[in-house]
Structures are given as C-alpha cells and as structure tokens.
Amino acid sequence: MTEGANMTENESETSTSVAAEPAEETTIMETEEKHPDQGEKENGGGRGKIQVQVPGAADESDFVHPEGGWGWVVMLAAMWCNGAVFGIQNAFGILFVSLLEEFGSKDDEDLRFKTAWVGSLSMGMIFFCSPIVSVFTDLLGCRVTAVGGAAVGLVGLLASSFVTSLGPMYFTYGILFATGCSFAYQPSLVILGHYFKKRLGLVNGIVTAGSSAFTVTLPFALSGLLEKVGLANTMRLLSILMFVLMIAGLAYVPLLPKPVNSQRPGSRCPPMSKVFNVNIWKSLGYRIWAFGIPAALYGYFVPYVHLMKHVEERFGKDANKEVLLMCIGVTSGVGRLIFGRVADYVHGVQKVYLQVSSFLVIGLMSMMIPLCNVFGGLIAVCLLMGLFDGCFICIMAPIAFELVGSQNVSQAIGFLLGMMSVPMTVGPPIAGFLRDRLGSYDVAFYLAGIPPIIGGAMLCLIPWVEARRIRREAAMKQMLEHKSGGQGEHDSVI
Ligand SMILES: N[C@@H](Cc1ccc(O)cc1)C(=O)O
C-alpha cells in the first residue's frame, strides 16, 4: 500500500505513525474495539517509529486537516528532532572512544563498564521518560513541552562539555540531556496528526528517516570534530543541533480542538483511566509482547556503544569505523520503507513473525561481529543489522494495533517504550564489564546475540495465543446466539 495514499477512513482515523500516549489535543479514539483481524486494515502499514497517534476525538470529525501548508514546516521540524535526538544517540560509539581517552585512566579495571553508562543511561532515559512525557504533553501542549524539552537538552549537552569526569557526566549527558530529548521528541510526533490525516503515513516515514539521515552523516562529522577541536568543543557544537531543535519546536502550532472527554471538568488533568489504561493488560498476546520485546533488547544498544572501540582494537586506530554506522543508518532507513510495505501484506498478528525474524537476524549479526576478521565482513554485518533494525522498528505500531485494538494502542506503546528503557540501559555496561574483564569484546558480542533470539522465541507464542482467543470468542458468540435463539423460540411458544 502506498503510504497515506490508500488509507481507508479507519486507517486515517487511527494512524499508526506517531506519539505513544494520548497527548495534547490527542485522545484515544472512542471507537468500537476491533476484532484482531480487522486491525490489519486500520494500521496503514505503520511506518517509522513505534509510536501511534490517535488525534483528539472531540470534534475531529469536523476538523479538516490541512495536509500541507504550514504542515510541511512542522514536518521538517519534526524530522530535525528525530534526527538530532537519535542521530546523537546512534553515534555515541564515536563519543565513547573519545570519552575513554579523555576521562579514562589506563589502570582503571572498570573503564569501559563505567564509560558505557554515560551513553546507555542517555538512551534509556529517552524511553523511560516516555510515559511521563505523555502526561506533560497532555497538560502543557506540544509546543511548550517540545521547546522546554529542547532547552533542557541544550543545557544538558552544554553542561556536559564543561565536565571533566564521568560522575557529573552521568547526570549532565545521561539524565539531563536525555530527559530533554525525550520531552522534545514525543510532541514532535504528536503534532503531525494535527496537520496530516491522509498523508500521515508518508509524513511519518519522512520524519523517521531523519534519524537514518543523521546516523549516516553525524559519525563522520563527529570524528572530524573530535580530532580537530576536542571533546568539549565538539559537544558545544553539537549543542547547536539542540538549539535549532528549540527553534523548531516553536513551529508546532496546535490545530486540533481539545477533546472534551480527555479531561475531567474543572481539572487540567486527564482522568486516571486515560493515564493508566488497564485494558491493554487484558490481552495475553500483549502481555507476552510487552515482556518479549524488552527481553530481546538487552543487546540492542551494545553495537551502537561498543562497535567503534571494537573496530579500533581489531583493525587499528585508522580503520574507517564511521562507515559501519553509516551502513546501519542507510539500511535502517531502507528497511523501514521496505518492511512497512511488506507488513501490509502480512495477515493480522502473523506480523509478529516479521519481528521474530528481525530479532533472529539482529542476534546472529551481533554474534558474527567478533568472527569478522576482514573489514568487508563487518560492513556486510552492519548492512544486514540495519535492514532488520528498520524492520523491527516499523512493525511495532501495526503489531500493537493487532494486539490491543485501536483505542488502546497509544497506551500499549507508551508502556512498551517505558519497559524498553531497562534493557537499553543495562546492556552496554554489561558488555563493557565483559570487555574490561576478558580483554576483548568477543564474548560481549556473542552474548549480545542471545537475548534477541530468546525474546524472538517468546514472541512466537503470540500468534498461537491469539488464534486460541479468537477460537474461544467465536465459540462463545455461537453459544450466546444459540441461547438467545432458543429463548426467542421459547417466548413465541408462550
Ligand atoms: N536506532 C534506532 C533507535 C530507536 C529505537 C527504537 C525507537 O522507538 C526509536 C529509536 C533509531 O535510530 O531509530
């Protein structure tokens, strides 16, 4: 299906593209719970990141989305946001090498373990804050949240440039900068639903390609800068990206009317049931998914943090290591487009198998890293890793739709993002610890390949559980029909 172009009425109402939680002028649509098989029709292919936006139900039916105009400026601003936030995170491996050199002492036994915490805390915080950011976006609106978040991120990054040891860096880069990024990121996805309805899939695809574009270019820029101006000045220059992000946030002029049902009368807060939606937990399939995905991600951020250092150790300081990040960025972008489209042709909850295959390939590729003794091998590994990384990301929203139905999808994804923060945070320090103790990264990369395989195996239960649920529901329905039919006959006799 062409993005956006062939969306049905349903699809455009509940686009799969953006925002994890009901946010400003955004609420969960009060549509009827869809049968899991119907969900496929509504998910519109689910491009890009794994958030879902369901724009405000209030008067949205009367609201005509501009499908362009200022919306294109908003799209560019959101693209910048996606790129700046995840481009910097994805290129952490380059900063990591520099942090080791600048802050580390050769005799520190835990050098890589301690340094990896900086990047992994940062990546983890972005996800950890997700559910909280949704509430803020609800209360303060997209623009204030995004601009405020970018300002905090800017302060965090600038402060990091003045820091000369790891301790404060955990706070400035790992907490402050990342919290700001999280607050800037989520509204950038929510706001797209104010401007686009029919084209939301396409626009979201372009916006998420921002992360791939920055992942392709930033590593080269960072390496050049680190060499020429040093770590502190490089961070100061990176702050410019955050400054532009702040300005970009000003573009998020809200258009949708505030939904009447998203707040209690006389209160600025949404009702508790909107903040904590327990419906998602009723689906066993979702419960398996919400634990299987995080279980698969313990190794996810390990290559982003440690691959650059591993390449230096194996191929020497002059190896063109940035090319590897570039490969991941390129194929991840391509993967999002290809697999987003492939997902449209995969029936219902069977889409989970696409994610299972992604994890299998990502896991195997991670295990292949230590086996590559020629640089070309690593390039091949990174190309494949990126491709299936793109698949895993773009298939998230469609699967959430299948498992919990359109009205619960934003909560389902918001919670999942929060859960993902744990493996994202602990994976890289464990890999660093293994490298510190064992003298090479080999075991770390072998082990990083195991969680995706275990998590993937867990996900294989989902189609089976869902098929069983559908069978039971059908039997129940038949029984009820039978009963009410019998009742009718009885009544007529009387
Ligand atoms: N490497 C991923 C990081 C990521 C993973 C999951 C997400 O939901 C968002 C971002 C990217 O650049 O896009």
Side-chain angles (χ1 to χ4, degrees):
M1 189 177 81
T2 316
E3 276 182 290
N6 304 347
M7 276 188 174
T8 64
E9 194 45 40
N10 245 347
E11 281 173 305
S12 48
E13 250 178 17
T14 54
S15 167
T16 54
S17 35
V18 284
E21 301 276 320
E24 182 213 33
E25 300 88 23
T26 304
T27 189
I28 297 171
M29 294 295 290
E30 300 293 336
T31 53
E32 226 178 279
E33 178 88 47
K34 298 290 186 298
H35 187 284
D37 286 351
Q38 270 175 281
E40 193 193 16
K41 291 181 215 119
E42 354 174 305
N43 65 35
R47 301 299 182 273
K49 296 249 185 276
I50 59 177
Q51 283 82 13
V52 175
Q53 194 221 339
V54 184
D59 295 315
E60 215 223 320
S61 48
D62 308 327
F63 181 80
V64 182
H65 295 72
E67 305 292 344
W70 185 250
W72 297 123
V73 179
V74 172
M75 183 192 81
L76 286 178
M79 193 177 176
W80 182 273
C81 178
N82 221 288
V85 169
F86 287 108
I88 296 177
Q89 295 298 337
N90 290 345
F92 180 74
I94 307 273
L95 292 179
F96 180 72
V97 173
S98 175
L99 283 172
L100 288 175
E101 281 161 11
E102 297 237 348
F103 296 171
S105 93
K106 286 252 159 10
D107 3 286
D108 188 345
E109 278 193 338
D110 297 321
L111 183 59
R112 289 166 190 80
F113 168 73
K114 289 181 187 159
T115 314
W117 275 110
V118 176
S120 68
L121 260 179
S122 185
M123 184 70 166
M125 273 312 277
I126 293 185
F127 292 100
F128 182 77
C129 293
S130 236
I132 310 160
V133 178
S134 307
V135 178
F136 271 84
T137 317
D138 243 1
L139 297 178
L140 305 176
C142 284
R143 192 161 33 172
V144 175
T145 311
V147 174
V152 172
L154 172 68
V155 171
L157 201 51
L158 263 184
S160 304
S161 75
F162 291 98
V163 160
T164 50
S165 66
L166 285 179
M169 192 66 115
Y170 294 144
F171 176 70
T172 56
Y173 190 92
I175 310 272
L176 204 58
F177 166 61
T179 305
C181 283
S182 190
F183 274 73
Y185 168 63
Q186 217 157 300
S188 78
L189 301 172
V190 176
I191 194 70
L192 298 178
H194 290 229
Y195 288 85
F196 299 95
K197 190 167 178 175
K198 282 205 197 77
R199 289 183 172 150
L200 193 54
L202 171 73
V203 165
N204 190 62
I206 298 172
V207 164
T208 60
S211 138
S212 304
F214 274 62
T215 307
V216 170
T217 47
L218 211 53
F220 292 100
L222 279 181
S223 283
L225 285 173
L226 284 169
E227 207 181 301
K228 289 203 182 75
V229 298
L231 180 61
N233 284 326
T234 301
M235 285 191 164
R236 278 167 214 152
L237 287 170
L238 268 186
S239 309
I240 297 176
L241 302 188
M242 299 307 289
F243 181 73
V244 176
L245 189 57
M246 236 172 86
I247 309 287
L250 292 174
Y252 304 162
V253 182
L255 290 185
L256 280 174
K258 265 202 189 301
V260 279
N261 58 351
S262 70
Q263 289 179 5
R264 284 174 306 205
S267 157
R268 278 191 69 86
C269 299
M272 236 18 202
S273 61
K274 293 273 178 215
V275 179
F276 301 105
N277 179 350
V278 289
N279 282 341
I280 55 176
W281 298 108
K282 291 184 185 150
S283 156
L284 176 59
Y286 176 75
R287 294 204 294 270
I288 298 175
W289 196 58
F291 286 93
I293 297 278
L297 292 179
Y298 279 88
Y300 180 84
F301 201 42
V302 170
Y304 290 102
V305 173
H306 295 288
L307 184 59
M308 298 296 103
K309 189 66 194 164
H310 168 75
V311 172
E312 254 196 37
E313 289 179 1
R314 170 113 6 139
F315 297 97
K317 266 196 173 314
D318 298 329
N320 198 358
K321 51 190 185 312
E322 301 81 11
V323 167
L324 298 175
L325 284 179
M326 184 186 99
C327 290
I328 295 182
V330 168
T331 48
S332 178
V334 172
R336 286 166 211 216
L337 294 175
I338 296 180
F339 287 105
R341 190 168 283 237
V342 169
D344 288 341
Y345 297 100
V346 180
H347 181 72
V349 85
Q350 308 287 335
K351 292 184 183 70
V352 161
Y353 290 127
L354 279 175
Q355 224 166 24
V356 172
S357 337
S358 304
F359 284 140
L360 201 66
V361 176
I362 291 174
L364 289 177
M365 288 307 112
S366 177
M367 291 173 162
M368 295 282 290
I369 290 173
L371 302 176
C372 292
N373 289 319
V374 286
F375 197 71
L378 271 185
I379 292 200
V381 161
C382 288
L383 286 173
L384 269 175
M385 216 177 206
L387 191 68
F388 285 90
D389 172 65
C391 173
F392 143 67
I393 287 175
C394 78
I395 217 80
M396 284 291 219
I399 294 178
F401 266 93
E402 303 294 347
L403 293 176
V404 298
S406 55
Q407 71 196 81
N408 301 316
V409 82
S410 33
Q411 288 275 331
I413 286 177
F415 187 82
L416 182 74
L417 288 179
M419 294 276 283
M420 277 163 56
S421 64
V422 177
M424 294 278 193
T425 309
V426 304
I430 295 176
F433 175 80
L434 290 168
R435 162 64 189 85
D436 285 334
R437 292 298 132 100
L438 302 175
S440 101
Y441 272 118
D442 293 6
V443 174
F445 283 118
Y446 290 137
L447 289 182
I450 296 177
I453 297 173
I454 296 179
M458 280 170 77
L459 299 188
C460 285
L461 289 173
I462 295 174
W464 175 71
V465 164
E466 284 294 293
R468 196 185 56 167
R469 181 181 65 80
I470 290 165
R471 267 200 316 273
R472 279 193 185 158
E473 273 176 16
M476 190 78 110
K477 207 173 146 199
Q478 223 174 18
M479 220 170 75
L480 285 174
E481 269 168 17
H482 194 72
K483 255 192 178 170
S484 62
Q487 183 73 38
E489 263 167 44
H490 185 68
D491 289 349
S492 62
V493 171
I494 290 171

